Amino acid sequence: MNHNEPQLTAAYMQTLLGEMLAIFKNATLCLLEYTDNQKLQKTQSNIEKYFGEKINFVENNFSEQLQNELNAYFDQKLTCFSTQLSPIGTCFQQKVWQILQTIPYGQTISYKQQSQQYGDHKAIRAIASANGKNPISILIPCHRVIGSNGTLVGYAGGLWRKQKLLEIENVLTSSLF
């Protein structure tokens, strides 16, 4: 890789649910968040501090691939993303986010089921908190986690977005309310 090329790059993604910001470290995605998130500015600063460099806003092959994948996802033509992920978080958060990535497209699990998969059925609140800190919306599908009684709860992007994402994935939303 050319040392003059920016390694921390960002681009805006257009989706049916609003504009999103994607930040890449080299070829891996470390953030995909809705631009109306009030914590986005702070998150950007934290990423720059973490990597010790400024974010360069420039479209590249990685951002173009992600935009194409998001378009196909929202058109219900893509169920599995190939964009490489590199979320920044604690070891606990990383393990929780890995569990999220095992939930099949079009299916949901409860926070209780997720805590059982984690191996600690008492960690429901901590796991829900880690889900809420998921830095890569949609691709790390925290929208697929619902309440034990089938209700939509806890989505940093807003419950209306969680509902739309589940509708796109053809989850029977009538049973979720």
Side-chain angles (χ1 to χ4, degrees), residues 92-136:
F92 173 75
Q93 290 168 334
Q94 296 282 349
K95 186 172 179 185
V96 169
W97 300 335
Q98 287 171 355
I99 293 167
L100 291 173
Q101 293 175 73
T102 67
I103 306 169
Y105 177 94
Q107 294 183 29
T108 60
I109 65 170
S110 69
Y111 289 96
K112 182 179 180 181
Q113 289 170 312
Q114 187 182 9
S115 67
Q116 290 168 339
Q117 287 181 24
Y118 179 81
D120 185 353
H121 68 281
K122 295 178 182 174
I124 294 173
R125 285 179 186 257
I127 285 170
S129 176
N131 285 357
K133 291 181 173 84
N134 169 17
I136 303 178

Side-chain angles (χ1 to χ4, degrees), residues 10-22:
Y12 291 103
M13 304 285 123
Q14 303 307 317
T15 76
L16 285 175
L17 302 182
E19 184 178 66
M20 300 184 85
L21 176 65

Side-chain angles (χ1 to χ4, degrees), residues 27-44:
T28 63
L29 183 66
C30 55
L31 178 85
L32 181 63
E33 186 57 71
Y34 298 100
T35 58
D36 62 5
N37 181 321
Q38 295 177 346
K39 296 179 182 175
L40 187 58
Q41 194 93 28
K42 186 177 188 324
T43 302
Q44 282 180 251

Side-chain angles (χ1 to χ4, degrees), residues 14-18 20 34 67-78 81 105 138 161 164-165 168:
Q14 303 307 317
T15 76
L16 285 175
L17 302 182
M20 300 184 85
Y34 298 100
Q67 182 66 70
N68 290 337
E69 288 185 352
L70 286 168
N71 291 344
Y73 170 83
F74 282 104
D75 288 341
Q76 296 178 306
K77 295 176 180 166
L78 180 78
F81 292 87
Y105 177 94
I138 304 172
R161 284 187 173 123
K164 286 301 283 179
L165 290 167
I168 287 164

Side-chain angles (χ1 to χ4, degrees), residues 149-161:
N149 62 358
T151 58
L152 297 186
V153 291
Y155 188 65
L159 289 181
W160 70 273
R161 284 187 173 123

